[in-house]
């Protein structure tokens, strides 16, 4: 028996597939992809040429904070890790999520910490 995904998730995945046809990360400018669930937010730097994840960050270990403040911390964390491996510029992939709320907070925090996109 196949489980049906909600219409909202199906729309986001359709949009994500459309976005991914135009975006691609390289070793010099990897793709910063964001995924958010109901409780957590995750960010990864991906090199699409080799199909490998360079860095990742999540809010799994952060407690006693709001979701937006956790997203800000994840954005700072991924930017700091990227600077350590000499990555200054990325391509931002919002994965079909609206550029608002936690996704925007993560992106703004990453920009403030030194990433360019």
């Amino acid at each position: 028996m196949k489980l049906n995904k909600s219409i909202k998730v199906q729309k986001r995945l359709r949009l994500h597939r459309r976005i991914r046809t135009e975006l691609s990360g390289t070793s010099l400018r990897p793709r910063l992809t964001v995924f958010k669930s109901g409780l957590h937010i995750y960010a990864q730097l991906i090199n699409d040429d080799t199909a490998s994840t360079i860095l990742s960050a999540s809010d799994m270990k952060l407690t006693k904070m709001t979701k937006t403040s956790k997203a800000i911390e994840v954005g700072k964390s991924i930017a700091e890790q990227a600077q350590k491996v000499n990555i200054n510029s990325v391509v931002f992939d919002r994965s079909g999520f609206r550029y608002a709320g936690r996704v925007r907070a993560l992106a703004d925090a990453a920009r403030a910490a030194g990433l360019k996109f």
Side-chain angles (χ1 to χ4, degrees):
M1 182 171 152
K2 185 176 178 181
L3 296 175
N4 291 331
K5 294 180 182 173
S6 71
I7 292 174
K8 187 176 182 179
V9 173
Q10 289 175 0
K11 284 175 71 173
R12 184 189 70 80
L13 292 175
R14 246 192 334 264
L15 182 59
H16 179 56
R17 279 193 299 270
R18 233 180 328 172
I19 290 169
R20 282 287 293 123
T21 60
E22 297 175 13
L23 293 180
S24 181
T26 63
S27 59
L28 297 176
R29 195 163 180 223
R31 179 168 52 101
L32 171 60
T33 184
V34 176
F35 177 77
K36 64 175 189 164
S37 68
L39 296 176
H40 300 289
I41 192 159
Y42 310 88
Q44 292 181 330
L45 286 181
I46 299 173
N47 179 355
D48 289 318
D49 292 340
T50 60
S52 62
T53 300
I54 301 168
L55 299 171
S56 66
S58 72
D59 67 348
M60 296 294 283
K61 295 181 181 174
L62 301 175
T63 57
K64 303 289 183 183
M65 300 170 80
T66 64
K67 291 180 188 178
T68 305
S69 59
K70 286 181 182 181
I72 291 169
E73 290 301 316
V74 171
K76 288 178 187 174
S77 172
I78 198 80
E80 290 168 2
Q81 290 178 35
Q83 302 256 326
K84 287 180 184 175
V85 294
N86 295 327
I87 295 173
N88 297 319
S89 181
V90 296
V91 177
F92 188 68
D93 177 10
R94 58 189 175 90
S95 300
F97 295 106
R98 291 179 56 200
Y99 187 76
R102 292 189 282 159
V103 175
R104 185 176 190 153
L106 188 144
D108 290 344
R111 276 193 198 101
L115 278 183
K116 294 182 181 100
F117 53 95

